[in-house]
Amino acid sequence: LKEKTEDLKRERHLAEDLLHQMLPKSVAQQLRKCQKVEAENYDQVTIFFSDIVGFTSIAASCTPLQVVEMLNNLYVCFDTRIESYNVYKVETIGDAYMVVSGLPERNGTKHADEIAKMSLDLVAAVRQVVIPHMPTGRLELRAGIHTGPCVAGVVGYKMPRYCLFGDTVNTASRMESTSLPQKIHISSATYEALLTDDAYEIELRGEIEVKGKGKMKTYWLLGNKNYSVQN
């Protein structure tokens, strides 16, 4: 009986760990208690989007299994690194990677700083990821960041997902889609949030046309004066 009890405990911990990787801990606890998870407003969060440059072309020259192996290598690398920061990985869709700071746990004004440090780390890390079927090839990341308000909540019943909603999400996605290889493209809102520390090397990109937003003044995040990117 004691052995069976220990086995059940281990299985329960494994199930809980898996659930907490798919949903925020606070949300998972409410769902386990069959409670309704209310959508929540957040005044300020910072959202990061990235994707792989030329992924469609790379995928076209690979077998499906090679694509899965390549993305798994990439995401294992990213998932391991983001644990060093106060961020939450929202989801991956194909080669797109979405991370947020400032929710579900609020962290005051630290969200922009956490995402900025993380993004510098990931842009450096992607060059170290080995593509099994292309030993001489190296992946390149295109990244975008925006800061602003958003709403977060659980959508669905069969396979509930923790989703973010609002213009901040759309704008962060636009920052990524208008970025360049191995560049971190940030909005004016993120730039202003990072100015408080005076710890970042930032370069003005200028005004660019952003779909659905018109002209926007944006910047390149180049580095952190006080932060050594992990190798």
Side-chain angles (χ1 to χ4, degrees):
L1 183 63
K2 188 177 179 182
E3 284 178 8
K4 286 288 183 188
T5 304
E6 289 301 317
D7 287 343
L8 282 169
K9 279 183 182 177
R10 277 195 294 272
E11 289 299 322
R12 190 183 70 188
H13 286 313
L14 284 171
E16 285 178 355
D17 288 344
L18 181 60
L19 186 60
H20 294 158
Q21 287 173 31
M22 298 169 66
L23 291 166
K25 206 168 189 175
S26 55
V27 171
Q29 287 170 349
Q30 290 179 69
L31 288 174
R32 283 179 62 218
K33 293 174 183 176
C34 298
Q35 295 176 350
K36 184 182 177 184
V37 182
E38 298 289 344
E40 199 165 352
N41 274 297
Y42 295 86
D43 293 333
Q44 284 283 294
V45 301
T46 298
I47 299 173
F48 167 93
F49 275 97
S50 72
D51 73 356
I52 299 302
V53 178
F55 177 75
T56 305
S57 302
I58 295 170
S61 63
C62 309
T63 66
L65 283 175
Q66 286 173 332
V67 173
V68 171
E69 188 176 11
M70 176 179 67
L71 287 178
N72 186 57
N73 284 350
L74 177 68
Y75 291 152
V76 166
C77 171
F78 281 11
D79 290 350
T80 304
R81 285 177 178 264
I82 69 171
E83 287 179 1
S84 302
Y85 307 98
N86 186 355
V87 299
Y88 174 74
K89 184 176 93 169
V90 182
E91 62 183 349
T92 56
I93 303 172
D95 65 316
Y97 197 77
M98 180 185 181
V99 184
V100 64
S101 182
L103 68 78
E105 303 300 328
R106 290 173 170 82
N107 57 2
T109 59
K110 295 179 181 176
H111 46 86
D113 181 52
E114 292 293 321
I115 288 288
K117 287 189 293 189
M118 179 209 75
S119 63
L120 290 166
D121 193 351
L122 298 190
V123 166
V126 72
R127 304 296 288 166
Q128 311 299 322
V129 177
V130 176
I131 311 172
H133 56 283
M134 294 169 60
T136 58
R138 283 292 178 267
L139 297 174
E140 289 186 309
L141 203 67
R142 181 172 47 228
I145 304 173
H146 180 55
T147 300
C150 91
V151 171
V154 175
V155 174
Y157 173 70
K158 291 288 186 185
M159 285 183 65
R161 287 177 58 215
Y162 188 69
C163 298
L164 310 188
F165 302 93
D167 190 56
T168 300
V169 180
N170 300 331
T171 305
S173 178
R174 294 280 185 261
M175 290 298 100
E176 179 274 313
S177 62
T178 53
S179 187
L180 295 173
Q182 289 301 103
K183 290 277 198 178
I184 303 166
H185 191 204
I186 67 173
S187 66
S188 293
T190 302
Y191 167 72
E192 287 168 13
L194 294 175
L195 277 182
T196 53
D197 292 339
D198 190 31
Y200 288 92
E201 296 171 28
I202 299 172
E203 180 182 279
L204 176 66
R205 183 182 188 180
E207 281 197 344
I208 64 163
E209 189 69 34
V210 178
K211 185 179 177 184
K213 306 292 295 179
K215 286 195 178 296
M216 288 185 69
K217 188 177 181 181
T218 63
Y219 301 80
W220 297 120
L221 175 61
L222 305 178
N224 186 309
K225 302 168 191 173
N226 312 316
Y227 175 71
S228 175
V229 173
Q230 299 172 40
N231 188 340

